[in-house]
Amino acid sequence: EAGVAQSPRYKIIEKRQSVAFWCNPISGHATLYWYQQILGQGPKLLIQFQNNGVVDDSQLPKDRFSAERLKGVDSTLKIQPAKLEDSAVYLCASSLSNRLYGYTFGSGTRLTVV
Amino acid sequence: KQEVTQIPAALSVPEGENLVLNCSFTDSAIYNLQWFRQDPGKGLTSLLLIQSSQREQTSGRLNASLDKSSGRSTLYIAASQPGDSATYLCAVGEGAQKLVFGQGTRLTINP
């Protein structure tokens, strides 16, 4: 079974530029998550999708962050404009719509804003 | 609001020792609790998932326990090896399958 795919692996941008991250979840996983992990901290949920609908985006800074999940499969997370404090690892995860099963995480995208 | 705390933040032990990592949470209304391993520059690897109705789960040298009433979970690692060096994160599952993470314990096993 293929895992959760993310790209790019690394990205360096200047502040005020825009950036986009892509995620392809495990086939058949209806639920997709984007987490932000700042160095030395645990991951924090940014947005959760169930198929192509948003379940929770309460911690997404909507003035600069946006996300979509096309046709309930792939997802893109965008930051525009980026700030220095957005430097973090952005993790995508997916799961079945069943609490009996846990999450599967991708390898993440490490973003550095300079 | 759920808060998850992991103690200690860092731990260094010699190879072969048995060790315990601790996780506490403030709201006992959880669906499950999951322990993850994170290697430097990598994503998270799921180690053990404990449902709210369970008391413990075991996988090889790892054993995780859950006490919902006291808001605690422990991860026990037996006969530690240098390859166990990593950051260990616990996360509680609540609501619509949302995970709330602790800040992690950075474990170093010295040969």
Side-chain angles (χ1 to χ4, degrees):
Chain A
E1 176 184 76
V4 176
Q6 288 190 246
S7 67
R9 287 283 285 125
Y10 306 94
K11 191 74 177 179
I12 301 174
I13 62 172
E14 295 182 352
K15 59 183 179 183
R16 292 187 290 275
Q17 287 187 324
S18 62
V19 64
F21 313 126
W22 173 82
C23 173
N24 188 337
I26 291 175
S27 177
H29 280 195
T31 311
L32 183 147
Y33 315 79
W34 283 101
Y35 280 82
Q36 179 193 56
Q37 186 177 24
I38 294 172
L39 186 65
Q41 300 181 17
K44 180 186 79 172
L45 179 68
L46 291 176
I47 189 167
Q48 176 184 347
F49 292 95
Q50 179 75 17
N51 295 309
N52 59 355
V54 175
V55 174
D56 184 347
D57 63 356
S58 57
Q59 298 190 90
L60 185 73
K62 299 181 185 65
D63 58 334
R64 298 183 301 106
F65 286 65
S66 65
E68 61 180 1
R69 188 177 184 193
L70 304 174
K71 300 180 181 178
V73 182
D74 292 8
S75 178
T76 302
L77 176 69
K78 298 179 181 178
I79 307 175
Q80 181 179 12
K83 293 185 175 181
L84 296 177
E85 59 260 37
D86 298 331
S87 294
V89 175
Y90 291 84
L91 296 162
C92 179
S94 68
S95 68
L96 292 167
S97 297
N98 186 325
R99 295 192 182 92
L100 293 178
Y101 301 94
Y103 283 33
T104 301
F105 278 83
S107 297
T109 296
R110 180 176 298 276
L111 173 68
T112 302
V113 183
V114 298
Chain B
K1 178 185 173 185
Q2 179 75 265
E3 292 185 3
V4 181
T5 303
Q6 290 187 247
I7 295 174
L11 181 64
S12 180
V13 301
E15 180 179 3
E17 281 201 4
N18 303 324
L19 57 99
V20 174
L21 306 182
N22 296 292
C23 173
S24 62
F25 47 94
T26 55
D27 187 347
S28 61
I30 67 171
Y31 289 100
N32 53 40
L33 185 143
Q34 199 163 355
W35 282 92
F36 293 89
R37 168 183 173 141
Q38 186 172 34
D39 293 283
K42 303 288 182 63
L44 279 64
T45 301
S46 179
L47 298 173
L48 291 164
L49 170 66
I50 310 175
Q51 301 299 333
S52 62
S53 59
Q54 297 174 323
R55 297 283 296 188
E56 66 177 345
Q57 282 286 336
T58 297
S59 176
R61 295 182 294 107
L62 306 179
N63 175 277
S65 68
L66 174 63
D67 184 343
K68 274 182 54 177
S69 61
S70 66
R72 295 180 184 276
S73 176
T74 62
L75 178 66
Y76 175 83
I77 302 176
S80 59
Q81 302 171 359
D84 295 330
S85 297
T87 295
Y88 291 80
L89 293 153
C90 78
V92 300
E94 58 174 26
Q97 296 182 269
K98 172 182 174 179
L99 280 182
V100 179
F101 282 85
Q103 70 273 40
T105 293
R106 189 173 67 254
L107 177 63
T108 303
I109 308 298
N110 301 304

